[in-house]
Amino acid sequence: MERFWPYIKEALLDILAIPSPSGYTYQANGYLSQELEAMEISYSTSAKGAIIATIPGKDTENRRIISAHIDTLGGMVKEIKTNGMLQLTSIGGLGWANVEGENCTIITSSGKEITGTLLLNKASVHVHGDETATCQRKASTMQVRLDEKVDSDESTHDLGIEVGDFVVFDPRTTATESGFIKSRHLDDKAGVAVILGVLKAIKQEELELPCTTHFYFSNFEEVGHGASAGIPAGVKEMLCIDMGAPGEGQQSDEFSVSICAKDSTGPYSWSMKERLIALCKDNNIPYRVDIYPYYGSDASASLRAGHDLVTGLIGPGVDASHSYERTHKDSIMATAKLTLAYIKSEI
């Protein structure tokens, strides 16, 4: 897989630059479609917009599915205030303190894009004193300051902004010489880039898979129902590629593949976890096993929807999840190597 790192990195930087909050993934889906078509991989699109690519294998009855989600956190215009500023509602598990001071773009119904910055209503310490520091960061205490001459709700309406318009936050993507990638929305665009890299490897190396394998690019994971529908018939196993979450009390790091034993919805398959660990050991892939108490995935969404699947969850370690995130090439590549090793193994 090492020789596919330049492609994985390029794909990751490309998709990080494409806005795709849950409910507005059309541009990102267009990019994925182009990449799949360039690799001559057949795919379909579900009714709610998930892209499902398929590579036939020897066993066509007992199938597996690999998932990652292209949708991200974001916002939506909740109110146009009398001062011309915008109050937002969050999309997904957005922490308001994590986006304070971040530049953003409002995507209007006409397609016009208007920039702004999310700030406290009382952002100036010279005006509000200690209130600026002590104010609770929540939707009602924050507003988007538009980069336009507005001073009333009418003047903002005149720009074409309406309640329900999507608001996307700047990813501020940086790739360092030391192999780190810093950006918003590595959750889960790093996982999407891993799948694209694995698909590239399968096609270029002309690998024959032991069973037909589907690759599911979910578009509503951040709001909880991404892979709840659209799982093809015959799928017995699901490997979800999302992020590992390093932090205090965790084993995950930014240089290994994280294998999740349990999240907020309960334990993942013990047999799948043990197989993934064995594959790491057999292939000298650095790994960490961890538990994420405030976490859910497309795998858990599929189980809640009633799908009868053996499920597993892996991913690159992403520091500062749902904030200004960071991961490393080593963690991304460890995830790609484990994904490919799993796909090549018998079901």
Side-chain angles (χ1 to χ4, degrees), residues 54-64 208-214 232-236 346-347:
T54 301
I55 295 185
K58 294 179 184 177
D59 185 345
T60 60
E61 294 185 4
N62 298 299
R63 304 180 176 207
R64 57 171 46 123
E208 185 175 15
L209 304 187
C211 65
T212 295
T213 303
H214 304 285
V235 170
K236 307 300 183 185
E346 296 292 334
I347 197 165

Side-chain angles (χ1 to χ4, degrees), residues 72-305:
T72 71
L73 305 177
M76 186 176 279
V77 177
K78 165 65 172 62
E79 177 188 351
I80 300 175
K81 302 170 69 173
T82 56
N83 62 2
M85 307 297 186
L86 307 178
Q87 183 178 317
L88 304 185
T89 182
S90 62
I91 295 175
L94 183 73
W96 294 108
N98 291 333
V99 286
E100 180 180 359
E102 188 61 88
N103 291 325
C104 59
T105 301
I106 298 88
I107 303 173
T108 68
S109 297
S110 68
K112 181 180 179 182
E113 297 184 355
I114 298 168
T115 62
T117 307
L118 183 67
L119 297 165
L120 276 175
N121 298 345
K122 299 180 178 181
S124 175
V125 69
H126 293 96
V127 175
H128 303 288
D130 290 343
E131 280 190 90
T132 300
T134 60
C135 180
Q136 183 179 357
R137 273 61 176 169
K138 56 184 180 178
S140 60
T141 63
M142 307 192 79
Q143 61 188 0
V144 173
R145 179 187 65 194
L146 296 171
D147 299 327
E148 300 287 343
K149 292 183 177 180
V150 295
D151 57 8
S152 66
D153 53 353
E154 183 179 2
S155 57
T156 297
H157 277 294
D158 289 343
L159 294 173
I161 295 175
E162 297 291 345
V163 169
D165 287 344
F166 282 94
V167 178
V168 297
F169 295 99
D170 287 2
R172 287 193 288 126
T173 305
T174 300
T176 73
E177 293 290 334
S178 55
F180 287 102
I181 296 178
K182 303 185 293 185
S183 182
R184 295 191 184 278
H185 314 319
L186 289 171
D187 171 21
D188 180 36
K189 292 185 174 183
V192 171
V194 163
I195 289 184
L196 289 174
V198 167
L199 287 171
K200 178 78 76 172
I202 291 170
K203 294 295 288 187
Q204 288 196 4
E205 296 178 359
E206 299 182 344
L207 299 178
E208 185 175 15
L209 304 187
C211 65
T212 295
T213 303
H214 304 285
F215 299 84
Y216 189 110
F217 297 97
S218 163
N219 60 333
F220 282 99
E221 192 275 346
E222 291 292 1
V223 292
H225 62 87
S228 60
I231 305 293
V235 170
K236 307 300 183 185
E237 293 184 350
M238 180 178 193
L239 180 66
C240 181
I241 305 175
D242 211 318
M243 61 171 180
E248 185 175 354
Q250 302 298 123
Q251 291 197 112
S252 301
D253 61 31
E254 297 172 82
F255 314 105
S256 312
V257 58
S258 296
I259 300 173
C260 180
K262 175 183 179 291
D263 65 14
S264 64
T265 62
Y268 286 79
S269 165
W270 176 84
S271 61
M272 174 81 89
K273 173 177 71 73
E274 293 301 316
R275 285 167 54 200
L276 293 169
I277 291 171
L279 287 169
C280 286
K281 291 178 177 178
D282 291 345
N283 293 276
N284 297 313
I285 301 169
Y287 73 94
R288 297 285 186 271
V289 178
D290 226 332
I291 289 173
Y292 306 122
Y294 307 107
Y295 191 117
S297 74
D298 270 329
S300 47
S302 70
L303 294 176
R304 286 196 303 271

